Amino acid sequence: MAAYCGESIPAYAGVVDLVTLDDIRAAADRISDGIVRTPLVPCLWADPARPLWVKPETLQPIGAFKIRGALNAISRLGEDERRRGVVSYSSGNHAQAVAYAAARAGITAHIVMPASTPQIKIDNTRAHGAEVVLCGEGEREKVAYQIIAERGAVLVPPFDHPDIIAGQGTLGLEIAHDLPDVEVVLVPVSGGGLASGVASAVTALVPNAKVIGVEPELASDTKESLRTGSLVDWPVEKRNRTIADGLRSQPSELTFAHLKARVHDVITVSEDEIRSAMAVLARKARLIAEPSGAVSVAAYLFHAAELPAGLTVAVVSGGNLDPALLSDVLDRSLDEED
Amino acid sequence: MAAYCGESIPAYAGVVDLVTLDDIRAAADRISDGIVRTPLVPCLWADPARPLWVKPETLQPIGAFKIRGALNAISRLGEDERRRGVVSYSSGNHAQAVAYAAARAGITAHIVMPASTPQIKIDNTRAHGAEVVLCGEGEREKVAYQIIAERGAVLVPPFDHPDIIAGQGTLGLEIAHDLPDVEVVLVPVSGGGLASGVASAVTALVPNAKVIGVEPELASDTKESLRTGSLVDWPVEKRNRTIADGLRSQPSELTFAHLKARVHDVITVSEDEIRSAMAVLARKARLIAEPSGAVSVAAYLFHAAELPAGLTVAVVSGGNLDPALLSDVLDRSLDEED
């Protein structure tokens, strides 16, 4: 139970146990009924010298990969924990994922969100059967811990736990299975749960493949952390500048240890490149990606010189965005073409 | 070879051999390397009393299901036929499919298109390695038959052949495999190759399931044909009124025999319903569908009273559309929401 109480995994003398291939395989067995087995979609429009496939996690039940980690974490709860329910503080895809996974498991989920959260996200979370607890700005953690204290509810963190990392890693198993010769995997980085899991699976199964994280320039704390060798802390106002609202978190000690050990490099992309990649995905791959989900394709399209050559997979991690933003991106891309 | 020379299959005394489950299974074996194994995507936003999954054929290499039939037909060619190459007359998804399938097989494809075809479609077809032969309006068949006469090239028809029907039917195998309790399958109808194949597979494997064709009201010749019991002929100007440019063909004797025997009913949808379904698919399922691909979801959304209850799959058959139309549909749906 303490496992989900939100503390970082203790890093004894700097040593952190990394998630193993077996952990990820076990996660895959647990979650297979609840996820969509997303295919690799070949991109005929890509550079023939660097064949590209996209992995459209936009097709998952809640529209993003987060469902994988949430299902795995919740499936690991004991009977007593299930009775007490789970809690999460997020207004993003993780909230939807926890709400959905809890409903599937027949347990109560409390999702703590700032009262300023767009109504559509509140409604969507309630539609999955979760109890939404609204709070003041900056009070989410406090309110979540009150619920934990009062009810004994179990916190499901967005990335800082081995079960979350292993769950997200199932996506990497699928890549390695579907394209055993994969050479480059591009994956968005925020808190680092997805990149940690994918890199753990892919590097174990395809030792020559390089997993490369992609960040917005405006929230490139991870690139700086990897360069300096230890976690830097960017103020939230700085990270919040990017349009990629799902990529404004920072790695924890646990995910950073995975990234250092298993991710080959981190590439950064501009806001314009993110918007262009969204338009390309819509028009050429017929996929609707949110900004955070499009950064991998932005790296492919605009940063070829920084990338290894070879068979490339870009993880399109999610597709939840404001319809007005989607319209805007598509309208602009039309204007540019005129 | 005559098999692909564009004549209808002889219907001796009104008896037509229908495609069998074994034909479709054999097709699936032949084409599995060339297609995306599309998943069923659960639609959490659908009516809980009629759970909905969509089958996103928009993810196929050329953005539409047509790749299945074209790959199957071309894989059946003999060595001599392969040397002579294939020919097709289409400006739509079938042209792309034949071009792509021929290139994969390493054979020459001639695609005959009217000179008025939008440049983007000509470019896309050439990009797949096909030789595009431009001709005058209404001369496509004549020019295609010249190529057949001169080169001995083999015609790959868009729907009027058992190998095409069996190829499209592989999509039905996948539905029955992924959702063995499926009760309703909604599938667009034009020439009827897709509906014939899907109905053949689904009704063989899930005898209680009902496969229902969907047509635009403005091109509902098939509904009329099924009601009257024999093929009617709508003038092309009449059928061309619909925005669903992929649904302006009419069944042949061969596909009509399949539809009569294996399709439960045909539902028609309005142009507004098609546009609304495109917007819903983009905003809620994160999928970009062309008008022809969205009719199945339009039927689900707006014609519940005409449909059987139960677990429903809607085939979203393709996603190739003018970017300006996509922008327009999304902008309008925003306006309606305001």
Side-chain angles (χ1 to χ4, degrees):
Chain A
M1 204 278 297
Y4 288 113
C5 267
E7 300 145 52
S8 283
I9 299 302
Y12 301 107
V15 177
V16 174
D17 279 341
L18 301 192
V19 163
T20 67
L21 185 58
D22 283 347
D23 295 332
I24 300 171
R25 287 181 163 148
D29 288 341
R30 282 183 213 110
I31 73 174
S32 63
D33 280 353
I35 64 164
V36 170
R37 175 64 167 79
T38 53
L40 292 183
V41 175
C43 299
L44 304 182
W45 43 270
D47 178 357
R50 302 180 295 139
L52 176 68
W53 288 258
V54 294
K55 176 89 170 158
E57 289 291 296
T58 57
L59 304 182
Q60 293 297 347
I62 59 119
F65 75 95
K66 291 278 188 184
I67 191 71
R68 296 174 182 264
L71 281 168
N72 189 45
I74 285 176
S75 74
R76 300 267 279 160
L77 299 177
E79 209 35 62
D80 190 44
E81 292 167 318
R82 290 169 49 88
R83 259 195 305 280
R84 297 199 303 268
V86 294
V87 63
S88 177
Y89 49 93
S90 160
S91 52
N93 291 331
H94 178 62
Q96 313 274 324
V98 171
Y100 175 79
R104 264 186 75 89
I107 68 179
T108 306
H110 288 82
I111 309 291
V112 183
M113 293 178 158
S116 60
T117 303
Q119 191 64 37
I120 178 79
K121 292 196 173 181
I122 295 172
D123 292 346
N124 283 347
T125 308
R126 285 200 176 121
H128 294 309
E131 295 197 27
V132 173
V133 182
L134 297 176
C135 67
E137 206 66 50
E139 293 190 326
R140 294 194 304 182
E141 287 196 44
K142 194 184 79 184
V143 173
Y145 279 96
Q146 277 170 357
I147 296 169
I148 292 166
E150 285 163 17
R151 301 175 159 261
V154 180
L155 183 70
V156 182
F159 53 85
D160 190 26
H161 195 282
D163 289 343
I164 300 290
I165 294 172
Q168 322 302 29
T170 59
L171 191 161
L173 286 188
E174 294 170 7
I175 293 172
H177 179 272
D178 292 353
L179 191 67
D181 299 329
V182 64
E183 294 173 278
V184 182
V185 178
L186 302 171
V187 55
V189 174
S190 180
L194 176 63
S196 295
V198 169
S200 298
V202 170
T203 57
L205 292 167
V206 192
N208 290 331
K210 295 185 169 69
V211 177
I212 294 178
V214 185
E215 275 185 320
E217 282 168 20
L218 297 185
S220 56
D221 54 281
T222 301
K223 184 163 182 86
E224 187 179 327
S225 292
L226 285 170
R227 197 179 60 236
T228 61
S230 61
L231 279 176
V232 298
D233 186 18
W234 282 29
V236 66
E237 309 79 53
K238 192 172 172 187
R239 289 178 267 136
N240 281 357
R241 294 172 303 165
T242 178
I243 190 178
D245 55 332
L247 302 183
R248 294 170 179 165
S249 294
Q250 300 185 131
S252 64
E253 291 290 348
L254 177 67
T255 54
F256 190 58
H258 285 78
L259 300 178
K260 274 201 288 195
R262 294 172 177 170
V263 163
H264 176 73
D265 196 4
V266 171
I267 303 282
T268 65
V269 295
S270 74
E271 302 292 296
D272 273 353
E273 290 166 352
I274 296 171
R275 285 174 184 270
S276 292
M278 291 169 69
V280 167
L281 278 166
R283 294 173 57 172
K284 297 191 174 169
R286 307 154 198 102
L287 289 171
I288 289 174
E290 61 187 272
S292 308
V295 296
S296 55
V297 173
Y300 175 87
L301 290 172
F302 301 109
H303 295 267
E306 298 159 62
L307 293 173
L311 307 185
T312 302
V313 170
V315 176
V316 177
S317 54
N320 293 318
L321 78 167
D322 179 5
L325 173 60
L326 175 62
S327 284
D328 180 57
V329 165
L330 294 178
D331 288 348
R332 281 202 209 188
S333 72
L334 276 182
D335 292 344
E336 282 164 19
E337 200 171 68
D338 286 344
Chain B
M1 201 279 294
Y4 288 113
C5 267
E7 299 144 54
S8 283
I9 299 303
Y12 300 108
V15 177
V16 174
D17 279 342
L18 302 191
V19 163
T20 67
L21 184 59
D22 282 346
D23 295 333
I24 300 172
R25 284 181 165 147
D29 287 342
R30 283 184 211 109
I31 72 174
S32 64
D33 280 354
I35 63 163
V36 170
R37 175 65 167 78
T38 53
L40 292 182
V41 176
C43 299
L44 304 182
W45 43 270
D47 178 357
R50 302 180 296 139
L52 175 69
W53 288 258
V54 294
K55 176 90 169 156
E57 289 292 295
T58 57
L59 304 181
Q60 294 299 348
I62 58 120
F65 75 95
K66 291 279 188 184
I67 191 70
R68 295 174 183 265
L71 281 167
N72 189 46
I74 286 175
S75 73
R76 300 267 279 159
L77 298 177
E79 207 37 62
D80 190 44
E81 292 166 317
R82 290 170 50 88
R83 258 195 306 279
R84 297 199 303 267
V86 294
V87 63
S88 177
Y89 49 94
S90 159
S91 52
N93 291 330
H94 179 61
Q96 313 274 324
V98 171
Y100 175 79
R104 263 185 76 88
I107 69 179
T108 305
H110 287 83
I111 310 290
V112 184
M113 293 178 159
S116 59
T117 303
Q119 191 63 38
I120 177 81
K121 291 195 174 182
I122 296 172
D123 292 346
N124 284 346
T125 307
R126 286 200 175 119
H128 294 309
E131 294 196 27
V132 174
V133 182
L134 297 177
C135 67
E137 207 68 48
E139 294 189 325
R140 293 194 303 183
E141 286 195 44
K142 193 184 79 183
V143 173
Y145 279 96
Q146 279 170 358
I147 296 169
I148 292 167
E150 285 163 17
R151 301 175 159 262
V154 181
L155 182 70
V156 182
F159 52 85
D160 191 25
H161 196 281
D163 290 343
I164 300 289
I165 294 171
Q168 320 304 27
T170 60
L171 191 161
L173 286 188
E174 295 170 7
I175 293 172
H177 178 272
D178 292 352
L179 191 68
D181 298 330
V182 64
E183 293 172 279
V184 182
V185 178
L186 301 171
V187 55
V189 174
S190 180
L194 177 63
S196 294
V198 169
S200 298
V202 170
T203 57
L205 291 166
V206 192
N208 290 329
K210 295 185 169 68
V211 176
I212 295 178
V214 185
E215 275 185 319
E217 281 168 21
L218 297 184
S220 56
D221 54 281
T222 302
K223 186 167 182 83
E224 188 180 325
S225 293
L226 286 171
R227 199 180 58 235
T228 61
S230 60
L231 277 177
V232 299
D233 186 19
W234 282 29
V236 65
E237 309 78 56
K238 192 172 171 188
R239 289 179 267 134
N240 281 357
R241 294 172 304 165
T242 179
I243 190 179
D245 54 332
L247 303 184
R248 294 171 179 164
S249 295
Q250 301 185 131
S252 63
E253 291 290 347
L254 178 67
T255 54
F256 190 58
H258 285 79
L259 300 178
K260 275 201 288 195
R262 293 171 177 170
V263 162
H264 176 72
D265 195 4
V266 171
I267 303 282
T268 65
V269 296
S270 73
E271 302 292 294
D272 273 353
E273 289 166 354
I274 296 171
R275 286 175 182 269
S276 291
M278 290 170 69
V280 167
L281 278 166
R283 295 172 57 173
K284 297 190 173 170
R286 307 158 199 97
L287 288 171
I288 290 173
E290 62 188 87
S292 307
V295 296
S296 55
V297 172
Y300 175 87
L301 291 171
F302 301 109
H303 295 266
E306 299 159 61
L307 293 172
L311 307 185
T312 302
V313 171
V315 176
V316 177
S317 54
N320 293 320
L321 78 169
D322 178 6
L325 173 60
L326 176 63
S327 283
D328 180 57
V329 165
L330 294 178
D331 288 349
R332 281 202 210 189
S333 72
L334 276 182
D335 292 344
E336 283 164 18
E337 199 172 66
D338 286 345

PDB file of all heavy atoms in Angstrom, chain A residues 85-96:
ATOM      1  N   GLY A  85     -10.291   2.328  -2.259  1.00  0.00           N
ATOM      2  CA  GLY A  85     -10.321   3.144  -3.477  1.00  0.00           C
ATOM      3  C   GLY A  85      -9.008   3.845  -3.757  1.00  0.00           C
ATOM      4  O   GLY A  85      -8.035   3.709  -3.005  1.00  0.00           O
ATOM      5  N   VAL A  86      -8.980   4.572  -4.854  1.00  0.00           N
ATOM      6  CA  VAL A  86      -7.756   5.256  -5.280  1.00  0.00           C
ATOM      7  C   VAL A  86      -8.001   6.752  -5.408  1.00  0.00           C
ATOM      8  O   VAL A  86      -9.142   7.211  -5.493  1.00  0.00           O
ATOM      9  CB  VAL A  86      -7.220   4.703  -6.628  1.00  0.00           C
ATOM     10  CG1 VAL A  86      -6.767   3.265  -6.483  1.00  0.00           C
ATOM     11  CG2 VAL A  86      -8.261   4.851  -7.727  1.00  0.00           C
ATOM     12  N   VAL A  87      -6.913   7.480  -5.425  1.00  0.00           N
ATOM     13  CA  VAL A  87      -6.991   8.920  -5.584  1.00  0.00           C
ATOM     14  C   VAL A  87      -5.882   9.363  -6.526  1.00  0.00           C
ATOM     15  O   VAL A  87      -4.823   8.726  -6.607  1.00  0.00           O
ATOM     16  CB  VAL A  87      -6.901   9.629  -4.203  1.00  0.00           C
ATOM     17  CG1 VAL A  87      -5.572   9.372  -3.536  1.00  0.00           C
ATOM     18  CG2 VAL A  87      -7.155  11.121  -4.323  1.00  0.00           C
ATOM     19  N   SER A  88      -6.162  10.425  -7.274  1.00  0.00           N
ATOM     20  CA  SER A  88      -5.150  10.963  -8.165  1.00  0.00           C
ATOM     21  C   SER A  88      -5.363  12.463  -8.266  1.00  0.00           C
ATOM     22  O   SER A  88      -6.489  12.933  -8.161  1.00  0.00           O
ATOM     23  CB  SER A  88      -5.276  10.314  -9.543  1.00  0.00           C
ATOM     24  OG  SER A  88      -4.348  10.889 -10.436  1.00  0.00           O
ATOM     25  N   TYR A  89      -4.277  13.177  -8.426  1.00  0.00           N
ATOM     26  CA  TYR A  89      -4.445  14.618  -8.684  1.00  0.00           C
ATOM     27  C   TYR A  89      -3.823  14.942 -10.025  1.00  0.00           C
ATOM     28  O   TYR A  89      -2.635  14.807 -10.232  1.00  0.00           O
ATOM     29  CB  TYR A  89      -3.854  15.488  -7.568  1.00  0.00           C
ATOM     30  CG  TYR A  89      -2.457  15.152  -7.123  1.00  0.00           C
ATOM     31  CD1 TYR A  89      -1.344  15.786  -7.681  1.00  0.00           C
ATOM     32  CD2 TYR A  89      -2.246  14.222  -6.115  1.00  0.00           C
ATOM     33  CE1 TYR A  89      -0.066  15.480  -7.256  1.00  0.00           C
ATOM     34  CE2 TYR A  89      -0.970  13.915  -5.689  1.00  0.00           C
ATOM     35  CZ  TYR A  89       0.121  14.532  -6.265  1.00  0.00           C
ATOM     36  OH  TYR A  89       1.385  14.226  -5.852  1.00  0.00           O
ATOM     37  N   SER A  90      -4.689  15.293 -10.947  1.00  0.00           N
ATOM     38  CA  SER A  90      -4.282  15.537 -12.326  1.00  0.00           C
ATOM     39  C   SER A  90      -5.487  16.134 -13.011  1.00  0.00           C
ATOM     40  O   SER A  90      -6.625  15.830 -12.671  1.00  0.00           O
ATOM     41  CB  SER A  90      -3.899  14.214 -13.000  1.00  0.00           C
ATOM     42  OG  SER A  90      -3.934  14.331 -14.408  1.00  0.00           O
ATOM     43  N   SER A  91      -5.259  17.000 -13.965  1.00  0.00           N
ATOM     44  CA  SER A  91      -6.388  17.427 -14.796  1.00  0.00           C
ATOM     45  C   SER A  91      -6.186  16.918 -16.216  1.00  0.00           C
ATOM     46  O   SER A  91      -6.913  17.271 -17.125  1.00  0.00           O
ATOM     47  CB  SER A  91      -6.533  18.946 -14.787  1.00  0.00           C
ATOM     48  OG  SER A  91      -5.294  19.542 -15.116  1.00  0.00           O
ATOM     49  N   GLY A  92      -5.203  16.075 -16.394  1.00  0.00           N
ATOM     50  CA  GLY A  92      -4.856  15.646 -17.742  1.00  0.00           C
ATOM     51  C   GLY A  92      -5.250  14.211 -18.015  1.00  0.00           C
ATOM     52  O   GLY A  92      -6.188  13.666 -17.426  1.00  0.00           O
ATOM     53  N   ASN A  93      -4.511  13.595 -18.938  1.00  0.00           N
ATOM     54  CA  ASN A  93      -4.835  12.251 -19.381  1.00  0.00           C
ATOM     55  C   ASN A  93      -4.717  11.220 -18.262  1.00  0.00           C
ATOM     56  O   ASN A  93      -5.417  10.211 -18.273  1.00  0.00           O
ATOM     57  CB  ASN A  93      -3.917  11.848 -20.541  1.00  0.00           C
ATOM     58  CG  ASN A  93      -4.228  12.639 -21.802  1.00  0.00           C
ATOM     59  OD1 ASN A  93      -5.368  13.051 -22.022  1.00  0.00           O
ATOM     60  ND2 ASN A  93      -3.213  12.867 -22.629  1.00  0.00           N
ATOM     61  N   HIS A  94      -3.809  11.489 -17.291  1.00  0.00           N
ATOM     62  CA  HIS A  94      -3.666  10.530 -16.202  1.00  0.00           C
ATOM     63  C   HIS A  94      -4.953  10.443 -15.376  1.00  0.00           C
ATOM     64  O   HIS A  94      -5.326   9.354 -14.916  1.00  0.00           O
ATOM     65  CB  HIS A  94      -2.471  10.913 -15.332  1.00  0.00           C
ATOM     66  CG  HIS A  94      -2.266  10.007 -14.157  1.00  0.00           C
ATOM     67  ND1 HIS A  94      -1.979   8.658 -14.294  1.00  0.00           N
ATOM     68  CD2 HIS A  94      -2.320  10.245 -12.815  1.00  0.00           C
ATOM     69  CE1 HIS A  94      -1.856   8.113 -13.087  1.00  0.00           C
ATOM     70  NE2 HIS A  94      -2.062   9.050 -12.175  1.00  0.00           N
ATOM     71  N   ALA A  95      -5.625  11.582 -15.183  1.00  0.00           N
ATOM     72  CA  ALA A  95      -6.877  11.576 -14.420  1.00  0.00           C
ATOM     73  C   ALA A  95      -7.916  10.691 -15.106  1.00  0.00           C
ATOM     74  O   ALA A  95      -8.577   9.867 -14.462  1.00  0.00           O
ATOM     75  CB  ALA A  95      -7.413  12.998 -14.280  1.00  0.00           C
ATOM     76  N   GLN A  96      -8.059  10.883 -16.417  1.00  0.00           N
ATOM     77  CA  GLN A  96      -9.003  10.059 -17.173  1.00  0.00           C
ATOM     78  C   GLN A  96      -8.626   8.587 -17.069  1.00  0.00           C
ATOM     79  O   GLN A  96      -9.493   7.716 -16.955  1.00  0.00           O
ATOM     80  CB  GLN A  96      -8.962  10.419 -18.664  1.00  0.00           C
ATOM     81  CG  GLN A  96      -9.005  11.882 -18.977  1.00  0.00           C
ATOM     82  CD  GLN A  96     -10.422  12.380 -19.035  1.00  0.00           C
ATOM     83  OE1 GLN A  96     -11.286  11.662 -19.488  1.00  0.00           O
ATOM     84  NE2 GLN A  96     -10.647  13.564 -18.546  1.00  0.00           N
TER      85      GLN A  96
END
